[in-house]
Amino acid sequence: MYSVEQANEALKAVGLRPTRQRLALLQLLLGKGNRHLTPEMLHVEAKANGIRVSLATVYNTLNQFTDCRILRRVIVDAGKSYFDTNTEPHHHFFDVRSEQLIDLPQASIRCEDLPTPPEGKSVESVDIIVRIG
Amino acid sequence: MYSVEQANEALKAVGLRPTRQRLALLQLLLGKGNRHLTPEMLHVEAKANGIRVSLATVYNTLNQFTDCRILRRVIVDAGKSYFDTNTEPHHHFFDVRSEQLIDLPQASIRCEDLPTPPEGKSVESVDIIVRIG
DNA sequence: GTGTTTGCAAAGTGTTTGCAATTTA
DNA sequence: TAAATTGCAAACACTTTGCAAACAC
């Protein structure tokens, strides 16, 4: 699925040292298709997989991966962070009851006439959240 | 702009007792056109206007107003809440540097083919955030 | 009077940080 | 062995809550 070698390459490519924790977390993250994880979820999953890593390191690592564009941060909930392993442009359903994120089929939304940003500003991203319940 | 009488009416209409704090905050909120405020901002503004109210009450009041649909919550930032005095359907620019929300002209975005939610779920809202910087 | 609301301080939640110990190159 | 990274615990920012005093009806 996602080998140590691939993880190693990926980390080298972005200039992060391939430490035991980063390699393990990266494999866990990218080894199972597109996923939406909170730091807490990843930490639990890591422990379940016998990976010794502190929660602080999970936080730091997720932030670093996001800075390097290995991950993408999705903001749907004040007070909780989600990280998306799919960095391609796409949008989300957010199930407010289960607090679960679901990818929106890319084709399913078509936005036209995107507004021009105010003078001197440029668009960094367009995030569409369809809240469902 | 937004009189005590109007505020009184509005509170009665949603079944909230028109206390001194609620009346004052509601007038402050709705007396100046469409705005996007954090609890902290409203608390500061209240104090500046000689309104004695605790931060806890500002939080509680904003939540109550949101539950009653006098306000709308906008989620753009993990770890900070914004409340929008405009409850009509519309979307936002979010200036990531100044952390400011700006209404998007309603007409400026046109979304077609909104995705069908998963079986048994219904769409509660569609939130579009255009991040600028 | 009775039930609601307030303010305060304490507790809660999610996240970041300082620093000594460890690991990597 | 020099620089980067980790883990821990403490600090942090934001928000909610428990409870006695104040208030609305």
Side-chain angles (χ1 to χ4, degrees), chain A residues 75-81 93 95-96 104 108-118 121-133, chain B residues 75-81 93 95-96 102 104 108-118 121-133:
Chain A
I75 295 171
V76 275
D77 192 335
K80 194 178 289 186
S81 288
F93 280 122
D95 186 324
V96 296
L104 229 54
S108 71
I109 239 177
R110 189 172 57 224
C111 276
E112 286 162 27
D113 307 322
L114 260 178
T116 343
K121 304 283 178 181
S122 60
V123 173
E124 302 208 333
S125 69
V126 178
D127 301 333
I128 306 182
I129 310 292
V130 180
R131 268 164 234 278
I132 57 176
Chain B
I75 295 171
V76 275
D77 193 334
K80 194 179 288 184
S81 288
F93 280 122
D95 186 324
V96 296
I102 305 168
L104 229 54
S108 71
I109 239 178
R110 190 170 56 223
C111 277
E112 286 164 24
D113 306 323
L114 261 178
T116 343
K121 303 283 177 181
S122 60
V123 173
E124 302 209 334
S125 69
V126 178
D127 301 333
I128 306 181
I129 310 293
V130 180
R131 268 163 234 281
I132 56 177

Short mmCIF file of all heavy atoms in Angstrom, two decimals, chain A residues 75-81 93 95-96 104 108-118 121-133, chain B residues 75-81 93 95-96 102 104 108-118 121-133:
data_model
loop_
_atom_site.label_atom_id
_atom_site.label_comp_id
_atom_site.label_asym_id
_atom_site.label_seq_id
_atom_site.Cartn_x
_atom_site.Cartn_y
_atom_site.Cartn_z
N ILE A 75 -11.25 22.67 7.97
CA ILE A 75 -11.86 23.31 9.14
C ILE A 75 -13.37 23.23 9.05
O ILE A 75 -13.99 23.79 8.16
CB ILE A 75 -11.40 24.78 9.25
CG1 ILE A 75 -9.90 24.79 9.53
CG2 ILE A 75 -12.15 25.48 10.37
CD1 ILE A 75 -9.25 26.13 9.47
N VAL A 76 -13.94 22.46 9.95
CA VAL A 76 -15.39 22.25 9.96
C VAL A 76 -15.97 22.43 11.33
O VAL A 76 -17.19 22.50 11.49
CB VAL A 76 -15.77 20.82 9.53
CG1 VAL A 76 -15.85 20.74 8.02
CG2 VAL A 76 -14.83 19.79 10.10
N ASP A 77 -15.14 22.49 12.32
CA ASP A 77 -15.59 22.42 13.69
C ASP A 77 -14.68 23.32 14.50
O ASP A 77 -13.48 23.11 14.54
CB ASP A 77 -15.43 20.95 14.13
CG ASP A 77 -16.13 20.67 15.44
OD1 ASP A 77 -16.33 21.60 16.22
OD2 ASP A 77 -16.46 19.49 15.67
N ALA A 78 -15.28 24.34 15.12
CA ALA A 78 -14.45 25.18 15.98
C ALA A 78 -14.01 24.27 17.12
O ALA A 78 -14.80 23.60 17.73
CB ALA A 78 -15.26 26.35 16.51
N GLY A 79 -12.73 24.22 17.38
CA GLY A 79 -12.28 23.42 18.50
C GLY A 79 -11.89 22.01 18.19
O GLY A 79 -11.71 21.20 19.08
N LYS A 80 -11.72 21.68 16.91
CA LYS A 80 -11.20 20.37 16.55
C LYS A 80 -10.62 20.45 15.15
O LYS A 80 -11.16 21.12 14.29
CB LYS A 80 -12.31 19.32 16.59
CG LYS A 80 -11.79 17.90 16.57
CD LYS A 80 -12.91 16.88 16.65
CE LYS A 80 -13.56 16.82 18.02
NZ LYS A 80 -14.55 15.74 18.14
N SER A 81 -9.49 19.78 14.95
CA SER A 81 -8.84 19.84 13.64
C SER A 81 -8.98 18.52 12.90
O SER A 81 -8.85 17.46 13.49
CB SER A 81 -7.35 20.13 13.79
OG SER A 81 -7.16 21.46 14.17
N PHE A 93 -18.74 16.76 2.60
CA PHE A 93 -19.90 16.65 3.46
C PHE A 93 -19.35 16.62 4.88
O PHE A 93 -18.28 16.06 5.11
CB PHE A 93 -20.62 15.31 3.25
CG PHE A 93 -21.52 15.23 2.06
CD1 PHE A 93 -21.31 14.27 1.08
CD2 PHE A 93 -22.61 16.10 1.93
CE1 PHE A 93 -22.16 14.18 -0.02
CE2 PHE A 93 -23.45 16.01 0.83
CZ PHE A 93 -23.23 15.05 -0.14
N ASP A 95 -20.98 15.39 8.44
CA ASP A 95 -22.11 14.86 9.19
C ASP A 95 -22.02 15.40 10.61
O ASP A 95 -21.16 15.01 11.39
CB ASP A 95 -22.05 13.33 9.19
CG ASP A 95 -23.28 12.72 9.83
OD1 ASP A 95 -23.80 13.29 10.81
OD2 ASP A 95 -23.72 11.65 9.37
N VAL A 96 -22.92 16.32 10.92
CA VAL A 96 -22.83 17.03 12.20
C VAL A 96 -23.10 16.11 13.38
O VAL A 96 -22.68 16.40 14.50
CB VAL A 96 -23.79 18.24 12.25
CG1 VAL A 96 -23.37 19.28 11.22
CG2 VAL A 96 -25.23 17.83 12.03
N LEU A 104 -16.69 14.97 -1.19
CA LEU A 104 -17.74 15.24 -2.16
C LEU A 104 -17.18 14.83 -3.51
O LEU A 104 -16.05 15.18 -3.84
CB LEU A 104 -17.97 16.75 -2.16
CG LEU A 104 -19.38 17.30 -2.06
CD1 LEU A 104 -20.09 16.75 -0.85
CD2 LEU A 104 -19.30 18.81 -1.97
N SER A 108 -19.55 16.86 -8.47
CA SER A 108 -20.90 17.13 -7.99
C SER A 108 -21.19 18.58 -7.65
O SER A 108 -22.31 18.93 -7.37
CB SER A 108 -21.19 16.26 -6.77
OG SER A 108 -20.43 16.74 -5.68
N ILE A 109 -20.16 19.39 -7.64
CA ILE A 109 -20.42 20.80 -7.39
C ILE A 109 -19.72 21.60 -8.48
O ILE A 109 -18.60 21.30 -8.85
CB ILE A 109 -19.94 21.23 -5.98
CG1 ILE A 109 -21.10 21.78 -5.17
CG2 ILE A 109 -18.83 22.25 -6.07
CD1 ILE A 109 -20.72 22.15 -3.76
N ARG A 110 -20.44 22.55 -8.99
CA ARG A 110 -19.81 23.37 -10.01
C ARG A 110 -20.07 24.82 -9.65
O ARG A 110 -21.21 25.26 -9.58
CB ARG A 110 -20.42 23.04 -11.38
CG ARG A 110 -19.68 23.69 -12.54
CD ARG A 110 -20.19 23.17 -13.88
NE ARG A 110 -21.62 23.38 -14.02
CZ ARG A 110 -22.48 22.48 -14.50
NH1 ARG A 110 -22.06 21.28 -14.86
NH2 ARG A 110 -23.76 22.76 -14.62
N CYS A 111 -19.03 25.52 -9.37
CA CYS A 111 -19.18 26.91 -8.98
C CYS A 111 -18.74 27.82 -10.09
O CYS A 111 -17.66 27.65 -10.65
CB CYS A 111 -18.39 27.21 -7.72
SG CYS A 111 -19.31 26.75 -6.27
N GLU A 112 -19.59 28.76 -10.36
CA GLU A 112 -19.25 29.69 -11.43
C GLU A 112 -19.17 31.09 -10.88
O GLU A 112 -19.66 31.37 -9.80
CB GLU A 112 -20.30 29.59 -12.53
CG GLU A 112 -20.11 28.31 -13.33
CD GLU A 112 -21.35 27.95 -14.13
OE1 GLU A 112 -22.09 28.87 -14.48
OE2 GLU A 112 -21.54 26.74 -14.38
N ASP A 113 -18.56 31.95 -11.64
CA ASP A 113 -18.46 33.35 -11.24
C ASP A 113 -17.90 33.47 -9.83
O ASP A 113 -18.48 34.14 -8.98
CB ASP A 113 -19.85 34.01 -11.29
CG ASP A 113 -20.50 33.83 -12.63
OD1 ASP A 113 -19.77 33.89 -13.63
OD2 ASP A 113 -21.71 33.59 -12.68
N LEU A 114 -16.78 32.82 -9.61
CA LEU A 114 -16.16 32.98 -8.31
C LEU A 114 -15.87 34.45 -8.08
O LEU A 114 -15.41 35.13 -8.99
CB LEU A 114 -14.86 32.17 -8.25
CG LEU A 114 -14.99 30.84 -7.54
CD1 LEU A 114 -13.68 30.09 -7.57
CD2 LEU A 114 -15.43 31.05 -6.11
N PRO A 115 -16.14 34.93 -6.93
CA PRO A 115 -16.00 36.36 -6.67
C PRO A 115 -14.55 36.81 -6.72
O PRO A 115 -13.64 36.05 -6.39
CB PRO A 115 -16.55 36.52 -5.26
CG PRO A 115 -16.38 35.17 -4.65
CD PRO A 115 -16.56 34.18 -5.74
N THR A 116 -14.35 38.02 -7.14
CA THR A 116 -13.01 38.58 -7.15
C THR A 116 -12.68 39.04 -5.74
O THR A 116 -13.49 39.70 -5.11
CB THR A 116 -12.95 39.84 -8.06
OG1 THR A 116 -14.09 39.84 -8.90
CG2 THR A 116 -11.67 39.88 -8.85
N PRO A 117 -11.51 38.68 -5.27
CA PRO A 117 -11.15 39.11 -3.91
C PRO A 117 -10.90 40.61 -3.87
O PRO A 117 -10.64 41.23 -4.90
CB PRO A 117 -9.86 38.33 -3.64
CG PRO A 117 -9.31 37.99 -4.97
CD PRO A 117 -10.48 37.86 -5.90
N PRO A 118 -10.97 41.18 -2.68
CA PRO A 118 -10.72 42.62 -2.54
C PRO A 118 -9.33 42.97 -3.07
O PRO A 118 -8.43 42.13 -3.08
CB PRO A 118 -10.78 42.83 -1.02
CG PRO A 118 -11.51 41.66 -0.47
CD PRO A 118 -11.28 40.53 -1.41
N LYS A 121 -5.62 41.38 -2.61
CA LYS A 121 -5.71 40.04 -2.03
C LYS A 121 -5.85 39.01 -3.14
O LYS A 121 -6.36 39.33 -4.23
CB LYS A 121 -6.94 39.93 -1.11
CG LYS A 121 -6.99 40.96 -0.01
CD LYS A 121 -6.05 40.60 1.12
CE LYS A 121 -6.05 41.66 2.22
NZ LYS A 121 -5.11 41.32 3.29
N SER A 122 -5.42 37.78 -2.83
CA SER A 122 -5.65 36.73 -3.80
C SER A 122 -6.27 35.52 -3.12
O SER A 122 -6.10 35.31 -1.92
CB SER A 122 -4.33 36.35 -4.48
OG SER A 122 -3.42 35.89 -3.50
N VAL A 123 -6.98 34.75 -3.92
CA VAL A 123 -7.67 33.58 -3.37
C VAL A 123 -6.67 32.48 -3.03
O VAL A 123 -5.87 32.08 -3.86
CB VAL A 123 -8.70 33.05 -4.38
CG1 VAL A 123 -9.30 31.73 -3.88
CG2 VAL A 123 -9.80 34.08 -4.61
N GLU A 124 -6.72 32.02 -1.81
CA GLU A 124 -5.83 30.93 -1.39
C GLU A 124 -6.52 29.58 -1.53
O GLU A 124 -5.89 28.59 -1.86
CB GLU A 124 -5.38 31.14 0.05
CG GLU A 124 -4.65 32.46 0.24
CD GLU A 124 -3.64 32.41 1.36
OE1 GLU A 124 -3.82 31.60 2.29
OE2 GLU A 124 -2.66 33.19 1.29
N SER A 125 -7.79 29.56 -1.22
CA SER A 125 -8.55 28.32 -1.38
C SER A 125 -10.04 28.60 -1.31
O SER A 125 -10.46 29.63 -0.77
CB SER A 125 -8.17 27.30 -0.30
OG SER A 125 -8.62 27.74 0.96
N VAL A 126 -10.79 27.71 -1.87
CA VAL A 126 -12.25 27.79 -1.78
C VAL A 126 -12.70 26.51 -1.11
O VAL A 126 -12.45 25.42 -1.61
CB VAL A 126 -12.89 27.90 -3.18
CG1 VAL A 126 -14.42 27.94 -3.06
CG2 VAL A 126 -12.38 29.13 -3.92
N ASP A 127 -13.29 26.66 0.04
CA ASP A 127 -13.69 25.48 0.80
C ASP A 127 -15.20 25.41 0.91
O ASP A 127 -15.84 26.34 1.40
CB ASP A 127 -13.09 25.53 2.21
CG ASP A 127 -11.56 25.59 2.16
OD1 ASP A 127 -10.99 25.09 1.17
OD2 ASP A 127 -10.96 26.14 3.10
N ILE A 128 -15.74 24.32 0.44
CA ILE A 128 -17.19 24.14 0.51
C ILE A 128 -17.51 22.98 1.45
O ILE A 128 -17.00 21.88 1.28
CB ILE A 128 -17.79 23.86 -0.88
CG1 ILE A 128 -17.37 24.97 -1.86
CG2 ILE A 128 -19.31 23.72 -0.80
CD1 ILE A 128 -17.95 24.83 -3.25
N ILE A 129 -18.28 23.29 2.46
CA ILE A 129 -18.70 22.27 3.42
C ILE A 129 -20.22 22.13 3.32
O ILE A 129 -20.94 23.10 3.56
CB ILE A 129 -18.37 22.67 4.88
CG1 ILE A 129 -16.92 23.13 5.03
CG2 ILE A 129 -18.70 21.53 5.84
CD1 ILE A 129 -15.90 22.06 4.84
N VAL A 130 -20.66 20.96 2.98
CA VAL A 130 -22.10 20.69 2.98
C VAL A 130 -22.41 19.95 4.27
O VAL A 130 -22.05 18.78 4.42
CB VAL A 130 -22.52 19.86 1.75
CG1 VAL A 130 -24.02 19.59 1.77
CG2 VAL A 130 -22.12 20.56 0.46
N ARG A 131 -23.02 20.67 5.19
CA ARG A 131 -23.35 20.04 6.48
C ARG A 131 -24.60 19.20 6.34
O ARG A 131 -25.62 19.67 5.80
CB ARG A 131 -23.57 21.12 7.55
CG ARG A 131 -22.30 21.46 8.30
CD ARG A 131 -22.40 22.77 9.06
NE ARG A 131 -21.29 23.63 8.66
CZ ARG A 131 -20.07 23.53 9.16
NH1 ARG A 131 -19.81 22.64 10.10
NH2 ARG A 131 -19.09 24.30 8.71
N ILE A 132 -24.52 17.98 6.79
CA ILE A 132 -25.68 17.09 6.71
C ILE A 132 -26.00 16.51 8.09
O ILE A 132 -25.15 16.53 8.99
CB ILE A 132 -25.42 15.93 5.72
CG1 ILE A 132 -24.15 15.16 6.11
CG2 ILE A 132 -25.28 16.46 4.31
CD1 ILE A 132 -23.88 13.96 5.24
N GLY A 133 -27.22 16.06 8.25
CA GLY A 133 -27.60 15.51 9.55
C GLY A 133 -28.91 14.75 9.44
O GLY A 133 -29.53 14.72 8.39
N ILE B 75 -17.95 28.99 10.85
CA ILE B 75 -16.75 28.28 11.25
C ILE B 75 -15.67 28.43 10.19
O ILE B 75 -15.82 27.96 9.06
CB ILE B 75 -17.05 26.80 11.50
CG1 ILE B 75 -17.99 26.70 12.71
CG2 ILE B 75 -15.78 26.01 11.76
CD1 ILE B 75 -18.55 25.34 12.95
N VAL B 76 -14.61 29.13 10.56
CA VAL B 76 -13.53 29.38 9.62
C VAL B 76 -12.18 29.11 10.24
O VAL B 76 -11.18 29.04 9.55
CB VAL B 76 -13.48 30.85 9.16
CG1 VAL B 76 -14.41 31.07 8.00
CG2 VAL B 76 -13.75 31.80 10.30
N ASP B 77 -12.17 28.95 11.53
CA ASP B 77 -10.92 28.92 12.24
C ASP B 77 -11.08 27.92 13.38
O ASP B 77 -11.94 28.09 14.23
CB ASP B 77 -10.68 30.32 12.82
CG ASP B 77 -9.28 30.51 13.33
OD1 ASP B 77 -8.64 29.51 13.69
OD2 ASP B 77 -8.81 31.66 13.36
N ALA B 78 -10.28 26.87 13.37
CA ALA B 78 -10.34 25.94 14.49
C ALA B 78 -9.90 26.73 15.71
O ALA B 78 -8.87 27.38 15.69
CB ALA B 78 -9.43 24.74 14.25
N GLY B 79 -10.68 26.72 16.75
CA GLY B 79 -10.25 27.39 17.96
C GLY B 79 -10.71 28.82 18.11
O GLY B 79 -10.22 29.55 18.97
N LYS B 80 -11.64 29.26 17.27
CA LYS B 80 -12.22 30.58 17.46
C LYS B 80 -13.59 30.59 16.81
O LYS B 80 -13.78 30.01 15.76
CB LYS B 80 -11.33 31.66 16.85
CG LYS B 80 -11.69 33.05 17.29
CD LYS B 80 -10.77 34.11 16.69
CE LYS B 80 -9.37 34.10 17.28
NZ LYS B 80 -8.53 35.19 16.77
N SER B 81 -14.54 31.25 17.45
CA SER B 81 -15.90 31.28 16.91
C SER B 81 -16.25 32.66 16.37
O SER B 81 -15.92 33.66 16.99
CB SER B 81 -16.91 30.93 18.01
OG SER B 81 -16.83 29.57 18.32
N PHE B 93 -15.76 35.56 2.36
CA PHE B 93 -14.31 35.65 2.24
C PHE B 93 -13.77 35.54 3.66
O PHE B 93 -14.40 36.07 4.59
CB PHE B 93 -13.87 37.03 1.71
CG PHE B 93 -13.99 37.22 0.24
CD1 PHE B 93 -14.78 38.26 -0.27
CD2 PHE B 93 -13.29 36.41 -0.65
CE1 PHE B 93 -14.87 38.47 -1.63
CE2 PHE B 93 -13.38 36.63 -2.02
CZ PHE B 93 -14.18 37.65 -2.51
N ASP B 95 -10.16 36.53 5.34
CA ASP B 95 -8.80 37.03 5.18
C ASP B 95 -7.93 36.37 6.25
O ASP B 95 -8.04 36.68 7.43
CB ASP B 95 -8.80 38.55 5.34
CG ASP B 95 -7.43 39.15 5.05
OD1 ASP B 95 -6.41 38.51 5.39
OD2 ASP B 95 -7.38 40.26 4.50
N VAL B 96 -7.08 35.45 5.79
CA VAL B 96 -6.32 34.65 6.74
C VAL B 96 -5.30 35.47 7.52
O VAL B 96 -4.89 35.07 8.62
CB VAL B 96 -5.61 33.46 6.05
CG1 VAL B 96 -6.65 32.50 5.47
CG2 VAL B 96 -4.67 33.93 4.97
N ILE B 102 -15.66 38.59 5.51
CA ILE B 102 -16.32 39.56 4.66
C ILE B 102 -17.43 38.82 3.91
O ILE B 102 -17.19 37.74 3.37
CB ILE B 102 -15.34 40.16 3.62
CG1 ILE B 102 -14.13 40.77 4.33
CG2 ILE B 102 -16.04 41.19 2.74
CD1 ILE B 102 -12.98 41.13 3.38
N LEU B 104 -19.75 37.61 1.08
CA LEU B 104 -19.62 37.45 -0.37
C LEU B 104 -20.93 37.94 -0.97
O LEU B 104 -21.99 37.58 -0.48
CB LEU B 104 -19.49 35.95 -0.66
CG LEU B 104 -18.39 35.45 -1.55
CD1 LEU B 104 -17.04 35.94 -1.07
CD2 LEU B 104 -18.41 33.94 -1.55
N SER B 108 -22.53 36.44 -6.40
CA SER B 108 -21.22 36.19 -6.98
C SER B 108 -20.82 34.73 -7.05
O SER B 108 -19.81 34.38 -7.63
CB SER B 108 -20.16 36.97 -6.21
OG SER B 108 -19.99 36.37 -4.95
N ILE B 109 -21.58 33.88 -6.44
CA ILE B 109 -21.26 32.46 -6.55
C ILE B 109 -22.52 31.73 -6.99
O ILE B 109 -23.61 32.01 -6.51
CB ILE B 109 -20.72 31.91 -5.20
CG1 ILE B 109 -19.32 31.34 -5.41
CG2 ILE B 109 -21.63 30.87 -4.63
CD1 ILE B 109 -18.70 30.83 -4.13
N ARG B 110 -22.34 30.85 -7.93
CA ARG B 110 -23.50 30.09 -8.37
C ARG B 110 -23.11 28.63 -8.38
O ARG B 110 -22.21 28.23 -9.11
CB ARG B 110 -23.92 30.55 -9.76
CG ARG B 110 -25.27 29.98 -10.18
CD ARG B 110 -25.75 30.64 -11.45
NE ARG B 110 -24.77 30.53 -12.52
CZ ARG B 110 -24.43 31.50 -13.35
NH1 ARG B 110 -24.97 32.68 -13.23
NH2 ARG B 110 -23.55 31.29 -14.30
N CYS B 111 -23.72 27.88 -7.53
CA CYS B 111 -23.39 26.46 -7.46
C CYS B 111 -24.49 25.63 -8.06
O CYS B 111 -25.65 25.83 -7.74
CB CYS B 111 -23.17 26.04 -6.00
SG CYS B 111 -21.51 26.42 -5.47
N GLU B 112 -24.07 24.74 -8.89
CA GLU B 112 -25.05 23.88 -9.54
C GLU B 112 -24.78 22.43 -9.18
O GLU B 112 -23.71 22.09 -8.71
CB GLU B 112 -25.00 24.10 -11.05
CG GLU B 112 -25.62 25.45 -11.40
CD GLU B 112 -25.27 25.91 -12.79
OE1 GLU B 112 -24.94 25.04 -13.63
OE2 GLU B 112 -25.31 27.13 -13.02
N ASP B 113 -25.79 21.62 -9.42
CA ASP B 113 -25.63 20.20 -9.17
C ASP B 113 -25.13 19.94 -7.76
O ASP B 113 -24.15 19.25 -7.55
CB ASP B 113 -24.63 19.59 -10.16
CG ASP B 113 -25.02 19.90 -11.58
OD1 ASP B 113 -26.23 19.90 -11.87
OD2 ASP B 113 -24.12 20.15 -12.39
N LEU B 114 -25.79 20.54 -6.79
CA LEU B 114 -25.43 20.25 -5.42
C LEU B 114 -25.55 18.75 -5.18
O LEU B 114 -26.51 18.14 -5.61
CB LEU B 114 -26.36 21.00 -4.46
CG LEU B 114 -25.77 22.28 -3.91
CD1 LEU B 114 -26.76 23.00 -3.02
CD2 LEU B 114 -24.49 21.97 -3.13
N PRO B 115 -24.59 18.19 -4.52
CA PRO B 115 -24.57 16.74 -4.35
C PRO B 115 -25.71 16.25 -3.47
O PRO B 115 -26.14 16.95 -2.57
CB PRO B 115 -23.24 16.50 -3.66
CG PRO B 115 -22.91 17.78 -2.99
CD PRO B 115 -23.47 18.86 -3.85
N THR B 116 -26.17 15.08 -3.75
CA THR B 116 -27.20 14.46 -2.91
C THR B 116 -26.52 13.89 -1.68
O THR B 116 -25.50 13.22 -1.79
CB THR B 116 -27.87 13.28 -3.64
OG1 THR B 116 -27.59 13.38 -5.04
CG2 THR B 116 -29.35 13.25 -3.38
N PRO B 117 -27.08 14.17 -0.52
CA PRO B 117 -26.46 13.64 0.69
C PRO B 117 -26.66 12.12 0.77
O PRO B 117 -27.55 11.58 0.11
CB PRO B 117 -27.22 14.33 1.81
CG PRO B 117 -28.51 14.77 1.21
CD PRO B 117 -28.24 15.01 -0.23
N PRO B 118 -25.83 11.46 1.57
CA PRO B 118 -25.96 10.02 1.72
C PRO B 118 -27.36 9.65 2.21
O PRO B 118 -28.03 10.44 2.88
CB PRO B 118 -24.91 9.68 2.79
CG PRO B 118 -23.96 10.82 2.79
CD PRO B 118 -24.75 12.01 2.37
N LYS B 121 -29.77 11.07 5.13
CA LYS B 121 -29.27 12.36 5.62
C LYS B 121 -29.87 13.48 4.78
O LYS B 121 -30.23 13.28 3.63
CB LYS B 121 -27.74 12.43 5.49
CG LYS B 121 -27.00 11.31 6.20
CD LYS B 121 -26.95 11.56 7.69
CE LYS B 121 -26.28 10.40 8.40
NZ LYS B 121 -26.25 10.62 9.86
N SER B 122 -29.96 14.66 5.39
CA SER B 122 -30.41 15.80 4.61
C SER B 122 -29.46 16.97 4.81
O SER B 122 -28.77 17.06 5.83
CB SER B 122 -31.83 16.18 5.03
OG SER B 122 -31.83 16.53 6.40
N VAL B 123 -29.43 17.84 3.83
CA VAL B 123 -28.51 18.97 3.87
C VAL B 123 -29.00 20.01 4.88
O VAL B 123 -30.14 20.45 4.82
CB VAL B 123 -28.40 19.62 2.47
CG1 VAL B 123 -27.58 20.91 2.55
CG2 VAL B 123 -27.77 18.65 1.49
N GLU B 124 -28.15 20.37 5.80
CA GLU B 124 -28.51 21.39 6.79
C GLU B 124 -28.04 22.76 6.36
O GLU B 124 -28.69 23.76 6.59
CB GLU B 124 -27.91 21.04 8.15
CG GLU B 124 -28.36 19.68 8.65
CD GLU B 124 -28.39 19.61 10.16
OE1 GLU B 124 -27.63 20.36 10.80
OE2 GLU B 124 -29.17 18.80 10.70
N SER B 125 -26.87 22.80 5.74
CA SER B 125 -26.38 24.07 5.22
C SER B 125 -25.23 23.83 4.26
O SER B 125 -24.60 22.77 4.30
CB SER B 125 -25.92 24.98 6.35
OG SER B 125 -24.76 24.46 6.95
N VAL B 126 -25.01 24.80 3.41
CA VAL B 126 -23.87 24.75 2.49
C VAL B 126 -23.03 25.98 2.80
O VAL B 126 -23.51 27.10 2.68
CB VAL B 126 -24.31 24.77 1.02
CG1 VAL B 126 -23.10 24.76 0.10
CG2 VAL B 126 -25.24 23.60 0.72
N ASP B 127 -21.83 25.76 3.26
CA ASP B 127 -20.99 26.88 3.65
C ASP B 127 -19.79 26.99 2.74
O ASP B 127 -19.01 26.04 2.61
CB ASP B 127 -20.51 26.68 5.10
CG ASP B 127 -21.68 26.58 6.06
OD1 ASP B 127 -22.76 27.14 5.76
OD2 ASP B 127 -21.53 25.93 7.11
N ILE B 128 -19.66 28.13 2.13
CA ILE B 128 -18.53 28.35 1.23
C ILE B 128 -17.63 29.43 1.82
O ILE B 128 -18.08 30.54 2.11
CB ILE B 128 -18.99 28.77 -0.18
CG1 ILE B 128 -19.99 27.73 -0.72
CG2 ILE B 128 -17.79 28.93 -1.11
CD1 ILE B 128 -20.49 28.03 -2.12
N ILE B 129 -16.38 29.07 2.03
CA ILE B 129 -15.40 30.02 2.54
C ILE B 129 -14.33 30.21 1.47
O ILE B 129 -13.66 29.26 1.09
CB ILE B 129 -14.69 29.47 3.81
CG1 ILE B 129 -15.69 28.97 4.85
CG2 ILE B 129 -13.77 30.53 4.39
CD1 ILE B 129 -16.54 30.01 5.47
N VAL B 130 -14.18 31.43 1.02
CA VAL B 130 -13.11 31.74 0.08
C VAL B 130 -11.99 32.39 0.89
O VAL B 130 -12.12 33.52 1.34
CB VAL B 130 -13.59 32.69 -1.03
CG1 VAL B 130 -12.45 33.00 -1.99
CG2 VAL B 130 -14.77 32.08 -1.79
N ARG B 131 -10.94 31.61 1.11
CA ARG B 131 -9.83 32.12 1.90
C ARG B 131 -8.95 33.01 1.03
O ARG B 131 -8.55 32.63 -0.07
CB ARG B 131 -9.00 30.96 2.45
CG ARG B 131 -9.45 30.52 3.82
CD ARG B 131 -8.93 29.15 4.21
NE ARG B 131 -10.04 28.30 4.59
CZ ARG B 131 -10.63 28.36 5.79
NH1 ARG B 131 -10.15 29.15 6.73
NH2 ARG B 131 -11.67 27.62 6.05
N ILE B 132 -8.67 34.20 1.54
CA ILE B 132 -7.84 35.13 0.79
C ILE B 132 -6.67 35.60 1.64
O ILE B 132 -6.70 35.49 2.86
CB ILE B 132 -8.66 36.36 0.31
CG1 ILE B 132 -9.32 37.04 1.51
CG2 ILE B 132 -9.71 35.93 -0.70
CD1 ILE B 132 -10.08 38.31 1.15
N GLY B 133 -5.65 36.10 0.99
CA GLY B 133 -4.48 36.55 1.75
C GLY B 133 -3.53 37.32 0.88
O GLY B 133 -3.75 37.45 -0.32
#
